[in-house]
Amino acid sequence: MPSRKFTATGLVLASGLASILGACSLTPAYKVPQTPAPAAAYHETGDWTPAAPADDVARGAWWSVFNDSALDALEQRIDASNAQLAMAVARYDEAGALARQAQAGLFPTLSATGFASQTDDPRNGRLNNYSLGLSAGYEADLWGRVRNLAAAGRAEAQASAADLADTRLSLQARLAETYFSLRGADAQITLLQQTSDDYQKALDLTTDRYKGGASGAADVGRAKTQLSSTQAQLEQARASRALLEHALAVLVGESASTFRLEPVTTPVDVPKVPVDAPSQLLQRRPDIAAAERRVFEANAGIGVARAAFFPDITLTAGGGSEEYVNATGPFWAIGPLAFNLPIFDAGARSARLTQARAEFDGASAQYRQTVLTAFQDVEDQLALANHLATAAARQDEAVIAAGETDRLSMLQYRDGAASYLDVVTAQTTELQARSAALDIQTRRLLAGVDLIRALGGGWTPSNATDSNRYK
């Protein structure tokens, strides 16, 4: 059997031409779309949201600023169990695979070919036919079409990585909001239960006074109404808590039928959230990063559309060894060199170029809108965080005053100096004041969560390590 000897001369030539031919790009010079220049500081900062440099703050587990171990445990379950996040991960993997497919177009394709046969000839005996070789094909990227497709694929993969980060941040924030809403429901249930117990004592007192002739039947009716109304509010609060618990179950990927979270009445302190300078917001939010990468992708698409007006050029080369009728030798070949240029397409390429430019304009407008919405989002949450802090202080004063009024009215009723209607009014006012204080506390926690989310949570561009492989 003769030895096989392969030559790669054609492959070397094809690879050499790759660097020579890929020298032109029709893509417009890329610039990030203009947006309104951010101010030196946010307008709504205050004592509860100090505008201090925060680049040294650990941003990974951002929810840890609330110092709540139950919240920590729930947040850690999102990555492993949340179905919505799993869908975002799948989209990210898909974008990465498409980016690698586009990247592959920058390199020659290699194919192995082979042929073998054996024939018995009466005159020449047994004849062997063998052929084994390699062939290469390369699209000469004279106009940058393939490079722009690869660049667009990389940009989409990076945008998808930012989308994944944005989805993760949104889910983390939603879980924290749901958790603190549930904690607020726990506090309301505790308040209403304690109030119901107090109202039951008041009803017992009024009933005893009625039996003794010191009060009228109307006082007993008012006391019963007050108690029943509060008990109805208690059941509504329990229903709200159940729905919030079910929502938490879905977020952590567990059945609502099996998920349980024990009530907790210990109040959660509202943390002070340090705020970056407005100029840092463009680097902190994954949705802004995703929008910018899609502008870049659309810009590369213009280059792809422009390249369609120029011919596609393809070069093939091959080499190997063959044996034919007992004759053996190497072979190699370059060619054919082929090109394709549509002459008439009824304006299809022009329409595609117009479409590409429109996509770029749309992506640019979307980027500007995303940036403006982001600044609004931060200012909204800053306003809530600071004004709700002031509201909480005033509401605490109202609670103290209402509690003292309730105490005095009950004393006066026992002494016969006030009617039970005065007691009911004071009781109602105190319950409303305490309930409002709890509601403000919950809203402050939610505003803290939303402010951290609006500032980008724990995401920074350096965290998107998976997207670096597509750069």
Side-chain angles (χ1 to χ4, degrees):
M1 179 72 64
S3 61
R4 301 289 177 264
K5 182 179 180 181
F6 300 98
T7 64
T9 307
L11 303 182
V12 173
L13 290 174
S15 299
L17 285 172
S19 60
I20 298 174
L21 296 175
C24 178
S25 176
L26 301 173
T27 306
Y30 176 69
K31 293 181 180 179
V32 178
Q34 291 285 336
T35 55
Y42 291 106
H43 177 67
E44 295 288 349
T45 52
D47 293 339
W48 279 88
T49 53
D55 286 343
D56 59 342
V57 175
R59 295 175 175 273
W62 55 264
W63 53 85
S64 62
V65 299
F66 294 96
N67 295 316
D68 191 305
S69 58
L71 176 61
D72 292 343
L74 290 171
E75 291 285 3
Q76 291 169 9
R77 296 176 62 180
I78 279 188
D79 278 357
S81 305
N82 186 272
Q84 188 174 346
L85 183 60
M87 289 187 288
V89 170
R91 288 192 294 270
Y92 167 64
D93 290 340
E94 179 184 3
L98 292 173
R100 291 191 294 273
Q101 289 180 43
Q103 190 82 14
L106 294 171
F107 301 93
T109 59
L110 294 176
S111 302
T113 59
F115 171 81
S117 68
Q118 192 175 72
T119 305
D120 287 327
D121 189 292
R123 293 174 296 175
N124 299 317
R126 180 169 295 176
L127 302 177
N128 294 326
N129 263 341
Y130 298 110
S131 177
L132 186 61
L134 289 175
S135 63
Y138 177 71
E139 179 179 346
D141 194 23
L142 289 175
W143 325 115
R145 186 187 73 86
V146 179
R147 278 173 292 152
N148 284 319
L149 284 172
R154 290 194 301 270
E156 178 56 33
Q158 291 162 351
S160 183
D163 286 340
L164 174 58
D166 190 50
T167 299
R168 179 180 282 109
L169 174 59
S170 297
L171 290 170
Q172 291 169 345
R174 191 190 310 170
L175 187 147
E177 290 173 344
T178 306
Y179 174 79
F180 286 129
S181 295
L182 184 142
R183 292 288 298 269
D186 285 341
Q188 292 284 359
I189 289 171
T190 299
L191 170 64
L192 291 169
Q193 184 62 65
Q194 292 173 347
T195 303
S196 295
D197 294 340
D198 292 339
Y199 287 179
Q200 181 63 59
K201 294 176 183 178
L203 174 60
D204 294 341
L205 172 63
T206 306
T207 301
D208 291 342
R209 289 173 59 84
Y210 170 69
K211 290 179 179 178
S215 297
D219 290 347
V220 176
R222 291 189 183 100
K224 286 183 178 179
T225 301
Q226 191 81 328
L227 174 60
S228 298
S229 176
T230 304
Q231 289 173 336
Q233 294 178 52
L234 176 60
E235 291 306 315
Q236 293 178 63
R238 287 170 175 164
S240 296
R241 187 195 190 278
L243 297 182
L244 291 167
E245 189 176 56
H246 299 164
L248 280 176
V250 174
L251 286 169
V252 299
E254 187 174 332
S255 170
S257 299
T258 58
F259 179 81
R260 292 291 180 273
L261 193 65
E262 293 301 319
V264 179
T265 56
T266 306
V268 179
D269 294 331
V270 179
K272 290 187 177 182
V273 179
V275 179
D276 297 315
S279 59
Q280 293 294 317
L281 187 65
L282 303 184
Q283 285 78 43
R284 290 296 188 197
R285 289 199 30 150
D287 58 339
I288 292 178
E292 186 277 327
R293 286 290 80 194
R294 291 196 165 94
V295 177
F296 182 92
E297 178 185 4
N299 189 68
I302 294 176
V304 174
R306 284 178 172 176
F309 289 89
F310 298 87
D312 295 333
I313 299 176
T314 305
L315 176 67
T316 58
S321 179
E322 68 177 357
E323 175 186 337
Y324 181 69
V325 192
N326 295 325
T328 303
F331 69 90
W332 63 269
I334 298 179
L337 182 66
F339 77 92
N340 176 54
L341 176 63
I343 302 300
F344 176 75
D345 61 7
R349 285 171 295 171
S350 296
R352 178 65 188 94
L353 179 57
T354 301
Q355 177 186 351
R357 287 171 174 158
E359 289 172 353
F360 175 79
D361 291 341
S364 299
Q366 180 62 50
Y367 172 78
R368 289 190 290 269
Q369 182 63 39
T370 301
V371 171
L372 290 173
T373 302
F375 280 108
Q376 177 195 351
D377 197 6
V378 174
E379 292 287 2
D380 287 349
Q381 303 312 319
L382 286 171
L384 283 173
N386 290 302
H387 291 297
L388 285 175
T390 303
R394 301 290 83 78
Q395 190 62 37
D396 288 343
E397 296 173 358
V399 168
I400 294 173
E404 181 65 13
T405 301
D406 187 13
R407 186 184 67 83
L408 291 175
S409 65
M410 181 58 73
L411 290 176
Q412 291 172 349
Y413 173 69
R414 287 175 176 173
D415 295 339
S419 69
Y420 198 78
L421 181 59
D422 295 329
V423 174
V424 170
T425 301
Q427 287 176 336
T428 301
T429 301
E430 182 183 11
L431 177 58
Q432 290 174 343
R434 292 187 181 279
S435 180
L438 293 177
D439 180 63
I440 291 174
Q441 175 71 3
T442 300
R443 291 177 63 195
R444 291 184 65 197
L445 289 169
L446 299 184
V449 171
D450 285 337
L451 177 57
I452 296 174
R453 176 196 53 76
L455 292 169
W459 185 87
T460 61
S462 60
N463 288 347
T465 53
D466 287 345
S467 66
N468 291 337
R469 58 183 168 173
Y470 306 120
K471 291 182 179 178

